[in-house]
């Protein structure tokens, strides 16, 4: 099989990973893989069954009953398929964000999802975003970016997104949730969020999307000539 290229983008919630990764994937002709959506699908599935995301026994007992599919529509948008059902929209709530963070701390969940993520990267040129892509999932990635921003700025972005969608939002609640998720994601025992030693850190606090895309585009060009 021909060599495939992989670009890993890790960082905390709201740093701009998915927006940036989608743009870059479009420009480079790579497949964008949003790994957070996979954890969200697990969280949503367990939630429907009434299993608490903290219940290790429950998570272990039911995880095998879940079959996850990843599909792409004609616009290149990733769709999450839970036991045959498209749940792409359902997994995008604040409640599922928190539950995904808790569910993702279980070793059994991370093990089940690891091969699935690696298999996509074996088959396609990918830009994969998440928390442990450069450290655990694709340690041999050709380019590794650690995208971050101040929590206040990340919370404000989430707030603006929700308001733009016509939803109710409270900035101080969102900031608390962002900080709680940061804490959980960086302090778990298995594959915590951290910058890979060979990742380039890009702080988006004071940068707009175009500037971040241009900066990463330059890094990609230097590393893989594309
Ligand atoms: O990127 P996101 O906000 O959709 O991710 C939801 C949660 O999933 C996040 O809080 C932690 C978990 N996650 C993870 O542990 N590892 C990944 N590679 C991606 C997400």
């Amino acid at each position: 099989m021909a060599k495939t290229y992989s670009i890993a983008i890790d960082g905390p919630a709201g740093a701009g990973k998915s927006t940036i990764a989608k743009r870059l994937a479009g420009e480079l002709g790579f497949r964008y893989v949003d790994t957070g959506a996979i954890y969200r699908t697990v969280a949503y599935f367990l939630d429907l069954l009434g299993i608490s995301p903290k219940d290790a026994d429950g998570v272990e007992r039911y995880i095998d009953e879940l079959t996850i599919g990843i599909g792409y529509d004609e616009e290149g948008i990733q769709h999450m398929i839970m036991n045959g059902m498209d749940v792409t929209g359902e997994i995008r709530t604040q409640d599922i964000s928190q539950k995904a963070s808790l569910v993702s701390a279980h070793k059994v969940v991370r093990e089940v999802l690891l091969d699935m993520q690696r298999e996509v990267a074996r088959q396609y040129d990918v830009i994969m975003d998440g928390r442990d892509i450069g450290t655990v999932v694709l340690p041999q990635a050709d380019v590794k970016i650690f995208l971050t921003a101040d929590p206040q700025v990340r919370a404000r972005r989430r707030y603006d997104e929700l308001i733009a969608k016509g939803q109710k939002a409270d900035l101080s609640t969102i900031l608390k949730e962002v900080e709680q998720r940061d804490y959980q994601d960086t302090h778990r025992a298995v594959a915590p969020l951290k910058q890979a030693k060979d990742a380039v850190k890009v702080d988006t606090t004071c940068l707009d999307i175009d500037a971040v895309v241009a900066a990463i585009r330059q890094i990609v060009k230097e590393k893989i000539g594309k």
Side-chain angles (χ1 to χ4, degrees):
M1 196 187 272
K3 158 149 177 87
T4 54
Y5 289 100
S6 50
I7 299 173
I9 303 188
D10 289 302
K17 299 187 299 296
S18 64
T19 309
I20 304 297
K22 260 183 234 160
R23 277 266 302 263
L24 284 166
E27 288 183 17
L28 292 162
F30 283 22
R31 184 166 280 215
Y32 166 53
V33 186
D34 168 3
T35 63
I38 313 177
Y39 288 93
R40 286 169 181 271
T41 302
V42 176
Y44 183 65
F45 170 72
L46 293 168
D47 198 43
L48 287 181
L49 292 177
I51 308 292
S52 159
K54 291 184 180 170
D55 173 4
D57 289 343
V59 171
E60 187 152 8
R61 190 162 331 127
Y62 288 100
I63 186 87
D64 287 344
E65 297 193 11
L66 169 62
T67 304
I68 298 179
I70 305 180
Y72 291 86
D73 64 22
E74 58 283 355
E75 281 160 28
I77 309 275
Q78 178 178 317
H79 284 252
M80 294 310 305
I81 316 296
M82 177 194 83
N83 290 348
M85 211 172 86
D86 191 324
V87 294
T88 309
E90 286 81 348
I91 60 175
R92 293 283 150 204
T93 64
Q94 286 295 105
D95 181 47
I96 294 299
S97 302
Q98 292 301 333
K99 286 177 174 154
S101 173
L102 292 169
V103 149
S104 71
H106 297 286
K107 191 163 178 244
V108 64
V109 173
R110 305 206 74 84
E111 279 171 0
V112 167
L113 301 190
L114 191 58
D115 283 345
M116 170 188 271
Q117 297 168 79
R118 285 183 176 160
E119 189 49 39
V120 184
R122 251 192 298 274
Q123 292 184 37
Y124 305 97
D125 293 326
V126 292
I127 298 191
M128 202 174 267
D129 82 12
R131 304 294 188 285
D132 63 337
I133 310 306
T135 51
V136 176
V137 179
L138 304 175
Q140 312 298 338
D142 300 284
V143 181
K144 296 185 189 179
I145 306 291
F146 191 79
L147 207 62
T148 188
D150 290 350
Q152 287 82 357
V153 170
R154 291 188 280 119
R156 162 59 76 173
R157 288 177 187 160
R158 277 273 183 271
Y159 173 85
D160 289 345
E161 251 172 48
L162 292 170
I163 296 296
K165 280 193 221 158
Q167 294 180 22
K168 274 205 199 127
D170 175 60
L171 188 55
S172 63
T173 308
I174 294 176
L175 178 58
K176 264 190 220 126
E177 287 171 353
V178 161
E179 288 174 337
Q180 189 184 343
R181 213 136 70 89
D182 284 357
Y183 184 85
Q184 284 163 191
D185 294 347
T186 51
H187 286 78
R188 65 179 176 230
V190 194
L193 167 64
K194 66 171 181 218
Q195 183 176 345
K197 282 197 189 78
D198 50 352
V200 180
K201 182 173 172 175
V202 178
D203 189 325
T204 71
T205 303
C206 301
L207 297 176
D208 66 13
I209 293 167
D210 288 343
V212 179
V213 170
I216 299 179
R217 202 63 196 80
Q218 188 58 34
I219 296 166
V220 171
K221 201 166 246 162
E222 280 161 22
K223 301 248 181 199
I224 62 176
K226 278 182 183 275

